[in-house]
Every structure is written in structure tokens, then in C-alpha cells.
Amino acid sequence: MRSVRAPGAGNVDAVTTPHSVPGAAPARPQIMGILNITPDSFSDGGRYLDFGDAVAHGEQMGADGADVIDVGGESTRPGAERVDAVTETSRVVDVVAALAERGLTVSIDTTRAAVAAAAIEAGATIVNDVSGGLADPDMARVVADTGVRWVLMHWRGHSADMQLLARYENVVADVKAELEDRVEAALDNGVDRENLILDPGLGFAKSAEHNWRLSAHLDEFVALGYPVLFGSSRKTYLGRLLGDESGKPRPVGQREAATLATSVLAFEAGAWGVRVHDVAGTADARAVWLATNAQR
Ligand code: PMM
């Protein structure tokens, strides 16, 4: 079997100084701002269904320091039902075009090749595929033909029943191995190695304990030699950690400080970027991290 590790991955440099590995992580971690044009996403569902509101929020995130605006038209929260491809495309495509026209880098958060193709046509340059190419066999071809970047997230099944799939021997080793299989499939389909970004997929077929373990071992994903994206923003495991004495989780809107802490830990681990709702706060945290890192 061909090695799917990127050249230079796994050497001492890659582990101890991940920022020196070409392509693995930029000196300045990227901030991907979340823009869900859905009625039912767990944090921002229903807020940006209006075209003007969506574009304004994307622009604001750009002004606040987002390097990428991640536009999604289908909720992936646990238990969510699917929408059809036509609905999904119609939610996102004009917003992608408007943000791209304004000079913003746009990623399309979709598992569908047809939606990705329409968004790329409208100006998206990154496909953020939470299924890592598993949900739609045509996705690899769309990515290979258009030459866009492709976020391969770890995934085991659609949202309706994904939590039933949260069973691992060793979550870090298993998620890494399954991601390496997705990399191999992408390369076999002609996708350029340089265009791949990996994401351990917090909350997708993962328990809270799995999320903590993956976060604690994020450097092992960085050591694979690909840029690593980390998506913890406001997720339930943070709400559980901060729950009250009766066990009630902290509400979604009050998980921001915890999210920022996880983002800084991800920067420390060498992540290429973080996918977040609060771009302004994350940009401040990044400035602190960069100022500290500059003295090392
Ligand atoms: N999480 C969500 C949606 N898309 N994409 C990537 N690459 N990584 C993630 O962790 C991720 C994602 C779910 O969160 P949301 O409902 O706030 O968008």
C-alpha cells in the first residue's frame, strides 16, 4: 500500500515543531468563520436564512479576522434529518457568490458533489466535506477536476444515527487510520496531496470522552503531515463540562470562553486552523498566541 503520509511527516521536526513542516500548518493559524444558512443548526440555526443577513454576517466575520467563511446549507447536528440537494444548493449558492465577489475566501460545507460543484462555480475554493468523501462517490472527481482544497473530516455516518457509531478500540488510532484511508482514496482519485486538509471531526460519532481524547492528541494528527482543522466551537461536550450541579449542560450561547481555550490549545498543537462561530474573540486569542509564539 502506498504511504499516505505527507513527505516529511512523522519525523522529529514534524512532532516537535509542527510549524516548520511545509504545508502542515502556517505560522499564523487560520480562522474559519461559520455561516450556517439552515433553520436548525445547533448554534446559529435560523439566524441567516435571509440573504442580506447571511452576506452581512459573512462580511462581518471577514472584517473580524476570518481567513475563510464556511458556508453550509444543511445541518449536521446529531439527529438532524437531511434536506434535498436542490434546497441545500438554493440556500448557499447566492451567498457564496456574494462573499466571493467581495474578495473573501469561501468554503462550502457539504457532503454532496452537486452542491460543491455549484458552490465552486459561484466562487468557493475549499470544499469542507464532513463525510471525508464517503457520502458521495462523485465528490473526489469534483475536487480533482476543479483543483480546490478539500477538508476531509472523520465521519462514520449521517447525523440521524451517527452517535450509535461512536465505538472505538482506541479513538485516536482509529480516527487517524480511518482518515488515512480517506486520504488514500482521495489520492487514488487524482486529488492533489497539497490540497488536502484533515479534521478529526469532534462530535461526529464521538462521545464527550472521545472529543477530549482527540483534542489532547491533536499533535498526532498534525504529525501526519497535512494541515489539520479543529472544530470544537460551542459543541455539546463543552456544555457538559460546564454543566450545573443537576447535570444540565451550559447553554450553547455561554460556551464561548471554553471554545477559545480549546482553540488556543489547538494552535499549540500545531493546527492549521479552527472552525468557529466567534471570529472576533478567536482573532484576539490568535493575536495573544502569535505574540507568545514569536518569543519562542
Ligand atoms: N462541525 C460542524 C459542521 N461542519 N466541519 C468541519 N470541518 N469540522 C467540524 O467540526 C464541523 C464541520 C457542526 O457544527 P455547526 O452546526 O456549528 O456548523
Side-chain angles (χ1 to χ4, degrees):
M1 192 178 83
R2 168 159 51 105
S3 169
V4 295
R5 305 223 163 184
N11 62 23
V12 174
D13 245 359
V15 175
T16 55
T17 54
H19 295 274
S20 66
V21 179
R28 182 174 183 271
Q30 304 289 285
I31 298 176
M32 181 183 267
I34 301 171
L35 179 53
N36 286 318
I37 309 172
T38 62
D40 55 345
S41 290
F42 80 97
S43 178
D44 56 354
R47 290 185 64 184
Y48 307 114
L49 282 169
D50 174 76
F51 172 80
D53 292 344
V55 174
H57 186 56
E59 283 189 295
Q60 185 61 52
M61 289 196 288
D64 288 342
D67 303 284
V68 179
I69 310 297
D70 188 41
V71 179
E74 179 176 51
S75 171
T76 50
R77 74 168 181 198
E81 293 298 331
R82 300 214 66 192
V83 294
D84 61 84
V86 173
T87 305
E88 189 186 345
T89 305
S90 68
R91 285 179 182 168
V92 296
V93 81
D94 291 343
V95 175
V96 168
L99 295 176
E101 268 166 28
R102 286 160 176 76
L104 293 158
T105 300
V106 180
S107 64
I108 176 67
D109 186 343
T110 187
T111 60
R112 286 190 170 111
V115 177
I120 293 165
E121 179 80 26
T125 54
I126 303 174
V127 173
N128 176 22
D129 180 353
V130 300
S131 82
L134 279 170
D136 190 332
D138 288 337
M139 187 66 99
R141 185 186 47 77
V142 168
V143 171
D145 287 354
T146 55
V148 297
R149 301 191 87 180
W150 192 10
V151 179
L152 298 175
M153 199 195 80
H154 177 263
W155 183 89
R156 284 185 164 181
H158 285 289
S159 301
D161 47 14
M162 68 181 170
Q163 291 312 103
L164 300 173
L165 305 170
R167 299 216 165 81
Y168 301 89
E169 282 274 318
N170 172 332
V171 69
V172 175
D174 294 355
V175 171
K176 269 198 311 187
E178 289 170 37
L179 275 179
E180 289 193 283
D181 289 345
R182 302 319 308 149
V183 169
E184 190 174 9
L187 299 179
D188 285 347
N189 278 289
V191 174
D192 191 338
R193 187 189 282 282
E194 299 289 311
N195 284 337
L196 295 176
I197 297 166
L198 305 184
D199 183 331
L202 267 63
F204 288 78
K206 315 284 183 327
S207 68
E209 195 187 335
H210 295 143
N211 291 335
W212 287 117
R213 209 156 175 85
L214 290 166
S215 305
H217 294 270
L218 198 65
D219 58 335
E220 294 185 36
F221 289 85
V222 174
L224 294 175
Y226 294 89
V228 170
L229 179 64
F230 180 78
S232 64
S233 192
R234 301 181 182 169
K235 285 187 175 170
T236 305
Y237 78 111
L238 300 176
R240 292 234 178 87
L241 177 76
L242 305 171
D244 66 20
E245 278 162 17
S246 73
K248 198 166 139 251
R250 176 82 65 84
V252 173
Q254 296 167 30
R255 300 175 186 168
E256 210 40 66
T259 300
L260 289 171
T262 64
S263 291
V264 173
L265 289 168
F267 299 158
E268 282 290 294
W272 167 83
V274 293
R275 181 181 177 277
V276 295
H277 298 90
D278 176 15
V279 169
T282 307
D284 285 356
R286 175 173 64 181
V288 168
W289 184 81
L290 285 171
T292 307
N293 206 36
Q295 301 302 324
R296 285 178 165 150

